[in-house]
Amino acid sequence: MFQARSIRHCKTCGGAAEYRVPADDNRERAVCGVCGAIHYENPLNVVGTVPAWRDKVLLCRRAIEPRHGFWTLPAGFMELGETTEEGALRETTEEAGARVTLQGLFSVLNVVRVGQVHFFYRAELHDTDFAPGIESLEVQLFREDEIPWDELAFRTVRETLRLYFADRARGAFGLHCGDIA
């Protein structure tokens, strides 16, 4: 769960931080009582792919918490110094050992309660030569009717897969934006 107001000490000088509305701002921020530095808390970006091979998608069974043992799309936190596309490709390689070509941004889902935004790209697998990375117990291709819907790790993954298969059935893929409660 996202913890607002979690900064207690200044990242610049180590002084005690207090939450107040700085001049020329409109919301409370962590402000250092010693040096006056203002510290901002912003959402984290999660980036990943919907890797497809013909009529199947590649899922990873998580080897880490949260949701150890549940299935997910290859995804993770975006790193500084990379684009969303680069992060999505990196996560797909790290978690599934898969080589893909990105086919465009597919879903952008706000998860305000945990301070995250999830970006999923459609991706075409180059081949079926993939293997679990250190964060995955196993990786497997699934047709829509084989998806372990009750064993999916996150609501963003469930929603992205639902949208993916609906667009695939319709014969046209769009960009989907939404909020996950």
Side-chain angles (χ1 to χ4, degrees):
M1 184 65 73
F2 171 68
Q3 295 292 321
R5 302 174 62 99
S6 63
I7 298 173
R8 300 288 177 234
H9 296 91
C10 179
K11 297 174 185 177
T12 304
C13 76
E18 60 181 309
Y19 280 82
R20 62 181 169 82
V21 179
D24 300 323
D25 204 335
N26 62 0
R27 64 183 62 208
E28 286 189 340
R29 310 283 184 192
V31 180
C32 179
V34 177
C35 73
I38 301 170
H39 302 285
Y40 298 88
E41 296 170 280
N42 302 108
L44 294 172
N45 295 323
V46 173
V47 292
T49 62
V50 182
W53 179 259
R54 300 184 180 127
D55 65 339
K56 298 179 179 183
V57 296
L58 186 67
L59 297 180
C60 307
R61 187 184 294 268
R62 293 177 60 81
I64 59 172
E65 293 295 346
R67 310 290 286 160
H68 181 277
F70 285 80
W71 291 95
T72 188
L73 290 165
F77 291 112
M78 183 177 165
E79 299 287 347
L80 292 174
E82 69 184 3
T83 66
T84 55
E85 293 93 344
E86 291 167 341
L89 288 169
R90 175 184 51 75
E91 288 290 343
T92 303
T93 301
E94 286 178 3
E95 294 188 4
R99 295 179 315 121
V100 298
T101 299
L102 296 183
Q103 297 179 309
L105 185 59
F106 180 68
S107 66
V108 178
L109 300 169
N110 300 299
V111 193
V112 176
R113 67 181 180 78
V114 293
Q116 297 176 1
V117 181
H118 293 216
F119 299 85
F120 285 98
Y121 288 84
R122 283 190 316 111
E124 180 180 0
L125 284 160
H126 292 185
D127 51 46
T128 57
D129 182 24
F130 46 77
I134 195 164
E135 294 182 2
S136 299
L137 297 169
E138 63 181 303
V139 290
Q140 184 178 330
L141 288 167
F142 293 92
R143 283 190 318 271
E144 180 178 11
D145 63 330
E146 300 170 330
I147 298 284
W149 295 101
D150 292 337
E151 297 176 42
L152 294 177
F154 307 107
R155 284 181 269 177
T156 54
V157 170
R158 179 177 285 106
E159 181 65 7
T160 296
L161 288 171
R162 186 187 68 73
L163 293 165
Y164 175 83
F165 285 115
D167 280 9
R168 188 175 177 281
R170 200 179 68 224
F173 290 98
L175 172 60
H176 303 276
C177 300
D179 301 326
I180 301 293

